[in-house]
Every structure is written in C-alpha cells, then in structure tokens.
Amino acid sequence: MSDKTDKDTQSGKADVWALISTLIAGPALWGGIGYLIDTAVGGRVFVILGLLIGAVMSFYIVYVRHGRS
C-alpha cells in the first residue's frame, strides 16, 4: 500500500517540475529569439514581444497538457 502512495507522489512531483520548466522555457526561448532579432535590427521591441509570446504559448501548452482533465 505504501509503494503505490510513493509512486503517486513521485509522479505528482514530476508533473509539477514539468509545468515549471515549461513555464520558464517558453519566455526564455522566445525572449532569446527576440533578443537576437533586436540585436540584428537595433531595436528593443522584439525582446518584450518575444517574452509575451513565450509566456502566452507556455501557458497554453500547460493548459492543453494538464488543464483539460
């Protein structure tokens, strides 16, 4: 009985870390792409736009994977 509880706890921890890493990776990736575009163009708009797009997309991915259950 204890083994099942331990497996459920480990699975829950893995899900939480997957959520956290997805929410961090989205803005980091798209913000980095925006930074590279800003460096090439010489502006400052694309970093902010990339961070916003990354945040929205990462929340959407988390919702699709885990929120519809």
Side-chain angles (χ1 to χ4, degrees):
M1 189 160 164
S2 176
D3 292 335
K4 183 179 181 188
T5 307
D6 291 339
K7 289 179 184 178
D8 291 342
T9 304
Q10 292 298 324
S11 175
K13 287 181 183 178
D15 288 341
V16 170
W17 281 111
L19 293 174
I20 291 170
S21 63
T22 301
L23 291 174
I24 291 172
L29 174 70
W30 287 103
I33 291 171
Y35 174 76
L36 292 175
I37 294 172
D38 275 344
T39 303
V41 174
R44 294 192 328 195
V45 172
F46 291 104
V47 171
I48 297 168
L49 189 63
L51 289 170
L52 289 174
I53 289 171
V56 168
M57 291 303 296
S58 64
F59 277 111
Y60 177 73
I61 289 171
V62 167
Y63 171 73
V64 168
R65 285 187 186 169
H66 301 284
R68 289 196 204 174
S69 29

